[in-house]
Amino acid sequence: MLIISWNVAGWSSTSKAIREDFGSIACFLQRTQADIICLQEVKGSWAKLEADPSGMGASDGGGALAVDGWESFWAFSGKAQRGFNGVATFVRKGLTWWCDSRPFTEEELNDEGRVIVTCHSAFVVVNTYVVNGRNGRRMAFKMRFMASLKTLLIQLREQTGKAIILLGDLNQTYRAEDACWSLRRLSLPALRELARVSQAAGEDKKEAWAQQFPWLPLPTLQRLEAFIAEQASLMILAEDANAGLSGTNKAVSVDSGALLDVVKDGDEDGGNGSVGGNLALTLLAQRIRQREEQRKRSRGAGPLATLGELCDAGLQSLSVDSLLRRQPLTHNREIFALTRYCGLPPHADVSVQFMKGLLEELRLCDTFLVTSPRATQERGREEEAQTAMLCPYTCWDQSRNRRQRNEGTRIDYILIDEALLPALVPCRMTENNAGPPMPSVDEAKASSAAGSEAAPAFFDEFDGRSAILGVRRATAAGLYPAAPFDGSGLPPLNVEAREVQFRGLPSTGLFVTPPQYSDHCGVCACFDGIALAVRPGKVEERHRCQYRPPVGLHAFFVKRARGGDAAGLTEAATAVSTATGGEEGTKPQVRRLEAKREEAVQAIEISDDSS
C-alpha cells in the first residue's frame, strides 16, 4: 500500500497540466500506484467545484463524472481567505469509511479549510496544510492551529482506537538538515560559546582544538566572529533608519528577513524575520549609531558591536544566506563549516520545539528517517535516525530557480503512529530518492570528489557527493530545466521527463514531481502487509467533504458498465428514455425502471469495489 502527500500549489492548474501530459487525472493517479493521495493548497471553493468539477480537478470531463476508480474528499477555506488554502484527499473507491472537513472545535480554524480527516479500516489519515507564519505576522495563529491539531490527533486516537497518520505541508522544519545549509539560521549564542572555548584554548590546547575542529581553525573563527558581529550591527542600523527603532519599543520588520528570533522581554517573539523591539536592543542600536559616527570622524575601524553585546541585547540568530558572498568561494566554505557547528533550522524556535514535542509526546515517526528494518524495532537510535540521503528537500523558490541548485527545504511530511512501523517499508536509495542513475564518468568524478582532500566528508553537503546527487535528484538529471528569465515560463515536459517521476515507486521517500506542476514535490510512504477493507455501505460525512457527481438519468447513460450487466443497463436506459417521452400515465413505469437501473448500478459498483 502506498500513500502520497503533495502540495500542488493550485490543483486546477496542476490537474490541467497533468491531463495535457497523461490524458486524464485517472491515468496519472494510476501510474503512481498509490492507494491514497493527499493534496494541499488546492485552492478553490465548493461553488467552483460544483460549477466546474473538471476545471477543479475532481473529474476528467468528457462525460466522466468523477476521476475513474477514485473518491475525493475536500475542505475549502471561507470567504475571509478568498479561496486560498484548501486540501483534498483522493482514495481508491470504497476504502473510506467516514470523513470530516471541520474537525476542530473552533470555527475560525475550520473556516481556514486546512484539514480533511478520512477514516479507513486500518488507520485514520489527517491531511493538513499548516498555517504559514508569514514572517511573524501569523505566528500566534499558527501555534494555535498546531496546538488544536495536536489535540485533534489525541482525540482521534482515543475515539477510533486506530493508528493515526498525520501528513501534508507542515510549513516548518525541525532539524537543521531539513534545509539547504544556506537557508539555515546561525545561532549567535552557540557561536559565542564556541568563541569562548577558543579563547580559553592556550598554547597547550591548540592541538586539541585542531583535532576537534579541523575545518575551523582558530584564526578563521576569530575572523568570522568579527565579520558576523559587523553584519548584524549594520542590519540593526538599517532597521533603525527604516523603521525608527531608536527610542521606540515596537517590533521592527527586518530588511530581507536577515534577523531572526529576537527575544522580547525574556520571551520568544517567534517571528521568523522580525525583531522584537525590547529596550536592550533599542539602547544597543543607539550605541551602534554613535560608534558608527565616531568611526567616520576618526576614520578608524573599531567594531560597531561585539558578539557578546548582540547576544545580551537578545539577538538570537542570523540567516546564513545574509552572510554569503559570491566571491571569494573560500568565504562561503568557511561559513558552511561554521554552520555545521552552530546551524539551526530556518523556522522560528517556538515552532521547531513544538514540532519536536509533537513527535515525542504523540510517539509519531517521521517516515523519511526510517532507513532500516532494525529502526522499526529500536526507535530512537542515532545510527538508525540517519536519513537515506542528504539534501532531501521538497520545496524550492522557483522564482529564483533554486531548484536547479537544490537550495530548498523539507516541509512536507508523513508522520505515522509507532504501531504502523512494523509495516513500513524503510526509506532506501531507490531511484526516486537517489535520482536517475549517474553516468560512469560522472560517477567517477563524484566518487573522486567525495574522497579527495578538497571535498572531505565534512563538506559533503557543500560540494561533495551528496550535493551532486541532490541536484541530480531535484532536476531529474537535467530533464527538469530551469525557467527562462524572459517571463515565458517553464517549457513543456518531454516524454522522458514525464515518465521519470514514477521511477522507484512504490517506495518510502520522495515523489519527485516536475516543477511544471508545483514548487513542491511529493513525499510517499510504502507499507507492506496492510490491506484496506472495503466499507459496507456509503461514506459517512460528518461534515460536507465528499465530491458527489450529479445523479440522474443523464448520469446513468454515461455510467460505465461491465461484463453481462452492460446489456441490462442499456435495455433499462432505452426503456426509460422511451417512457419519459410518453404521456402522464407512464410515470409509474418510469419509477419502476429507475429502481431497476439503481439496482443494476449498485451491482456494478460492488463489482468495481471487489475487482
Side-chain angles (χ1 to χ4, degrees), residues 245-248 278-288 290:
L245 177 64
S246 298
T248 70
N278 61 3
L279 180 60
L281 187 60
T282 300
L283 294 176
L284 177 60
Q286 294 174 352
R287 291 198 300 271
I288 291 175
Q290 293 170 357

Side-chain angles (χ1 to χ4, degrees), residues 58 87 106 130 325 366 372 437 472 481 489 520 537 591 597:
V87 291
E106 291 187 60
V130 170
R325 295 174 174 173
D366 187 344
S372 75
R472 285 183 58 83
H520 291 243
R591 286 194 292 270
R597 175 185 64 83

Side-chain angles (χ1 to χ4, degrees), residues 229-562:
E230 180 77 4
Q231 294 301 306
S233 300
L234 293 175
M235 293 173 195
I236 291 176
L237 283 179
E239 290 311 305
D240 186 10
N242 294 335
L245 177 64
S246 298
T248 70
N249 201 25
K250 297 180 180 179
V252 179
S253 177
V254 178
D255 185 38
S256 302
L259 295 174
L260 305 176
D261 293 340
V262 173
V263 173
K264 182 178 181 181
D265 296 331
D267 296 323
E268 284 190 355
D269 175 56
N272 190 7
S274 65
V275 174
N278 61 3
L279 180 60
L281 187 60
T282 300
L283 294 176
L284 177 60
Q286 294 174 352
R287 291 198 300 271
I288 291 175
R289 176 67 65 189
Q290 293 170 357
R291 291 170 185 172
E292 182 196 36
E293 294 174 354
Q294 183 179 1
R295 193 161 71 174
K296 288 179 180 178
R297 288 194 301 267
S298 63
R299 296 184 179 181
L304 295 176
T306 65
L307 182 62
E309 287 179 307
L310 294 167
C311 291
D312 290 341
L315 192 62
Q316 294 294 297
S317 60
L318 297 176
S319 69
V320 173
D321 190 48
S322 67
L323 304 173
L324 301 181
R325 295 174 174 173
R326 292 190 176 183
Q327 296 293 339
L329 294 180
T330 52
H331 169 83
N332 291 352
R333 192 177 179 86
E334 292 170 348
I335 293 292
F336 171 82
L338 188 60
T339 304
R340 286 290 305 270
Y341 298 116
C342 304
L344 296 172
H347 289 82
D349 288 339
V350 62
S351 62
V352 170
Q353 293 305 317
F354 186 91
M355 179 78 168
K356 290 181 177 179
L358 181 73
L359 292 168
E360 184 65 27
E361 294 173 29
L362 272 61
R363 301 192 69 78
L364 297 174
C365 301
D366 187 344
T367 55
F368 199 79
L369 301 184
V370 180
T371 59
S372 75
R374 190 170 62 177
T376 64
Q377 305 297 327
E378 302 179 27
R379 181 180 184 269
R381 291 173 59 95
E382 182 64 25
E383 60 268 29
E384 306 299 354
Q386 297 299 316
T387 180
M389 72 213 80
L390 291 174
C391 317
Y393 312 130
T394 63
C395 180
W396 303 265
D397 182 353
Q398 293 193 164
S399 66
R400 300 167 67 180
N401 266 330
R402 285 196 162 180
R403 183 163 181 170
Q404 295 299 308
R405 302 185 297 275
N406 197 29
E407 295 178 0
T409 54
R410 185 174 77 100
I411 59 177
D412 302 271
Y413 300 87
I414 298 180
L415 310 177
I416 64 172
D417 245 322
E418 276 190 337
L420 295 173
L421 268 179
L424 179 70
V425 177
C427 183
R428 299 191 178 97
M429 293 297 279
T430 47
E431 190 168 341
N432 56 309
N433 293 326
M438 190 177 295
S440 56
V441 175
D442 294 339
E443 177 68 34
K445 290 181 180 179
S447 299
S448 175
S452 68
E453 185 178 351
F458 183 87
F459 292 98
D460 196 33
E461 289 182 79
F462 184 76
D463 57 4
R465 179 181 177 82
S466 290
I468 295 172
L469 291 179
V471 170
R472 285 183 58 83
R473 179 178 60 243
T475 63
L479 291 174
Y480 298 160
F485 290 100
D486 58 4
S488 58
L490 288 163
L493 297 171
N494 60 33
V495 175
E496 187 177 4
R498 290 197 295 266
E499 296 299 321
V500 70
Q501 60 191 306
F502 304 114
R503 295 176 186 170
L505 299 180
S507 63
T508 298
L510 298 175
F511 175 36
V512 190
T513 48
Q516 282 81 352
Y517 295 168
S518 172
D519 57 350
H520 291 243
C521 75
V523 291
C524 45
C526 185
F527 298 88
D528 189 17
I530 295 181
L532 298 181
V534 177
R535 66 174 180 268
K538 294 183 178 180
V539 178
E540 175 193 345
E541 288 185 90
R542 299 190 172 179
H543 291 91
R544 182 188 186 189
C545 51
Q546 184 180 12
Y547 167 69
R548 297 181 182 276
V551 177
L553 294 178
H554 294 289
F556 164 68
F557 293 134
V558 297
K559 184 73 180 178
R560 179 171 58 88
R562 177 177 294 181

Side-chain angles (χ1 to χ4, degrees), residues 66-208:
V67 177
D68 189 30
W70 297 79
E71 294 170 327
S72 60
F73 308 90
W74 305 73
F76 296 108
S77 57
K79 293 182 179 179
Q81 288 74 35
R82 297 176 297 171
F84 293 149
N85 313 333
V87 291
T89 299
F90 282 75
V91 187
R92 289 192 183 272
K93 194 173 181 181
L95 300 183
T96 304
W97 293 51
W98 59 261
C99 57
D100 195 351
S101 61
R102 301 181 69 85
F104 295 120
T105 56
E106 291 187 60
E107 290 305 304
E108 183 182 7
L109 299 181
N110 288 325
D111 289 341
E112 289 273 322
R114 293 182 177 274
V115 173
I116 189 83
V117 180
T118 54
C119 181
H120 312 276
S121 60
F123 46 70
V124 177
V125 174
V126 180
N127 176 12
T128 185
Y129 176 39
V130 170
V131 180
N132 188 326
R134 292 184 185 174
N135 294 331
R137 294 191 298 274
R138 296 199 82 194
M139 182 56 68
F141 185 82
K142 175 179 181 177
M143 298 314 300
R144 182 154 62 93
F145 179 89
M146 289 296 292
S148 297
L149 187 62
K150 177 181 177 181
T151 301
L152 173 64
L153 296 177
I154 295 173
Q155 291 174 345
L156 288 172
R157 184 184 281 167
E158 293 175 349
Q159 293 170 2
T160 65
K162 298 177 184 289
I164 302 297
I165 298 179
L166 172 65
L167 53 76
D169 179 356
L170 301 190
N171 251 321
Q172 60 190 40
T173 53
Y174 70 97
R175 307 179 312 146
E177 297 87 348
D178 292 330
C180 177
W181 71 273
S182 61
L183 302 180
R184 297 170 192 167
R185 292 178 297 145
L186 191 69
S187 170
L188 296 189
L191 175 58
R192 184 185 191 182
E193 177 62 19
L194 199 62
R196 186 193 65 78
V197 173
S198 70
Q199 292 167 3
E203 291 296 330
D204 57 331
K205 295 183 179 180
K206 286 185 177 180
E207 184 176 348

Side-chain angles (χ1 to χ4, degrees), residues 5-80:
S5 175
W6 182 23
N7 180 317
V8 292
W11 183 232
S12 293
S13 58
T14 300
S15 62
K16 178 182 178 182
I18 286 173
R19 275 194 290 262
E20 291 174 353
D21 289 339
F22 295 94
S24 68
I25 300 172
C27 178
F28 175 83
L29 299 185
Q30 189 67 26
R31 294 292 305 278
T32 67
Q33 304 181 57
D35 300 281
I36 300 174
I37 299 181
C38 299
L39 310 177
Q40 300 87 42
E41 202 179 352
V42 296
K43 301 179 182 178
S45 64
W46 278 109
K48 290 182 180 179
L49 181 62
E50 292 172 340
D52 185 11
S54 175
M56 276 294 298
S59 76
D60 274 320
L65 300 179
V67 177
D68 189 30
W70 297 79
E71 294 170 327
S72 60
F73 308 90
W74 305 73
F76 296 108
S77 57
K79 293 182 179 179

